[in-house]
Amino acid sequence: MTFLWPEALAGFLVVAGLGAGYARAAFRPTSAPLSYSQTPLLATAASAGCRICPHLPAMLFLAALAALVVALSRPVVAWPAARGWPVALVIDVSRSMEETDIPPSRIEAAKTAAADFVQGLPRSTPAAVITFGNYASVVVPLTTDRARLLEGIMHLSTQLRTQLGTGLAEGVRLLTGENAPPAPGEPRPAMGEPRAVVVLLSDGRASDGIPPLEAAQMARDRGVRVYTVGVGTSGDPSQFRSGYWGVLDEPTLRAVAELTGGRYFHASSMEGLRQVYRELARVVGWTRTPQEVSALAAAGALLAVLGAVALRARLLPLS
């Protein structure tokens, strides 16, 4: 937390002085007669079995003053805010996604994790769903309609081949609206804040279509960052029904992410995959921006004052 007017924090010295004065007056032992007695208030508190109750109104009032000092100093905190990047979920629906090394199957785990991802994004963030297998297909175009996105994800079905690069290229085209490569000599965007993001999930290796690294270069040229997710367990191809095509190609997925300024994730379980997508939703969808919260501190001061008045009236009703 920072303050735009830190000099106002000196007001805490006044609050501390008032608190010390109250404590001295309230708890100093004396045998001298008092000109004003709080006997009714003390009697009410004693009957309730509470030693602190008589002092709660004063404590709340001091808290209100402290909150008012904070409000006057104009505090600034990092507040969650939507990044505003459009996002394309590009999902592998090749036949190898039917493998069951991640129960109940890789494709079902991918659906569940993708649904978590969509629900974790800010409501204002447009997202799309694209699949790749025999070909790349836009299942749901860019939209903020979460129900439509979830419905599209839940109805995914598998195909034969794995056109990974073609699926990535389709996601880039959808996000940027650009079909042609940059003209010769046209400046390419530097690696930095992206204009859009692709989250690509695959469990195997590309069979045909556009080479994955060529599609990754297309994404980089258009300012699209790609986060890749490898799902599945590695091992002997003979343990998979899809054989060689079911073995995860981590080097390619990692290279695609690194080329575009993204990051590669691996998941070998349902829960692991869900955690990856939840983290991606935070990274891709959210940021923190400094915002002044003086109004919140002032509201806290008002509530504390109202609480002090109400408690005082409850402990010592007007006769």
Side-chain angles (χ1 to χ4, degrees):
M1 179 184 293
T2 58
F3 300 92
L4 297 179
W5 291 350
E7 299 83 0
L9 294 174
F12 278 119
L13 296 176
V14 177
V15 177
L18 291 173
Y22 176 82
R24 182 180 179 186
F27 300 105
R28 181 179 60 181
T30 178
S31 58
L34 298 175
S35 58
Y36 172 75
S37 175
Q38 294 282 8
T39 302
L41 180 61
L42 294 173
T44 302
S47 64
C50 177
R51 295 182 178 181
I52 301 179
C53 288
H55 309 291
L56 281 179
M59 293 168 65
L60 283 173
F61 182 73
L62 289 173
L65 290 178
L68 187 58
V69 169
V70 172
L72 290 174
S73 65
R74 299 183 62 188
V76 175
V77 300
W79 204 263
R83 285 191 182 276
W85 299 337
V87 180
L89 270 172
V90 179
I91 302 174
D92 185 344
V93 292
S94 60
R95 189 60 53 84
S96 59
M97 288 290 285
E98 296 178 356
E99 298 286 353
T100 58
D101 53 334
I102 298 182
S105 67
R106 294 176 180 178
I107 187 64
E108 291 303 321
K111 290 179 183 181
T112 301
D116 287 348
F117 176 83
V118 166
Q119 292 172 326
L121 290 175
R123 279 300 205 181
S124 60
T125 298
V129 179
I130 296 168
T131 59
F132 63 89
N134 294 341
Y135 48 84
S137 176
V138 178
V139 178
V140 182
L142 280 174
T143 180
T144 56
D145 187 341
R146 296 297 180 251
R148 186 179 177 188
L149 289 164
L150 293 173
E151 182 180 4
I153 290 169
M154 290 301 113
H155 285 87
L156 297 183
S157 58
T158 58
Q159 302 168 10
L160 288 175
R161 302 201 303 274
T162 311
Q163 294 199 358
L164 191 155
T166 304
L168 174 55
E170 186 63 30
V172 172
R173 294 189 189 102
L174 177 68
L175 291 171
T176 63
E178 299 176 16
N179 292 312
E186 180 181 336
R188 294 177 174 181
M191 294 289 287
E193 285 295 297
R195 59 189 288 193
V197 168
V198 167
V199 176
L200 184 149
L201 177 143
S202 180
D203 74 327
R205 57 193 64 242
S207 60
D208 55 346
I210 299 174
L213 292 183
E214 182 179 320
Q217 186 62 55
M218 180 190 301
R220 178 189 172 97
D221 291 343
R222 289 160 174 75
V224 177
R225 182 176 296 171
V226 182
Y227 293 88
T228 55
V229 181
V231 57
T233 56
S234 58
D236 187 342
S238 62
Q239 71 179 348
F240 301 118
R241 290 185 302 170
S242 47
Y244 169 80
W245 302 106
V247 179
L248 182 61
D249 182 8
E250 288 191 288
T252 295
L253 294 175
R254 186 175 286 108
V256 167
E258 290 176 354
L259 182 60
T260 62
R263 180 182 166 191
Y264 170 70
F265 298 82
H266 174 248
S268 56
S269 68
M270 165 76 87
E271 186 54 36
L273 186 59
R274 296 183 72 177
Q275 289 177 358
V276 164
Y277 269 79
R278 288 169 188 156
E279 180 179 351
L280 277 169
R282 289 193 296 271
V283 170
V284 169
W286 297 93
T287 187
R288 287 184 174 272
T289 58
Q291 292 189 22
E292 185 178 343
V293 291
S294 300
L296 291 179
L302 177 60
L303 290 176
V305 168
L306 293 176
V309 172
L311 189 59
R312 172 76 180 196
R314 178 180 178 84
L315 292 175
L316 188 60
L318 296 176
S319 57

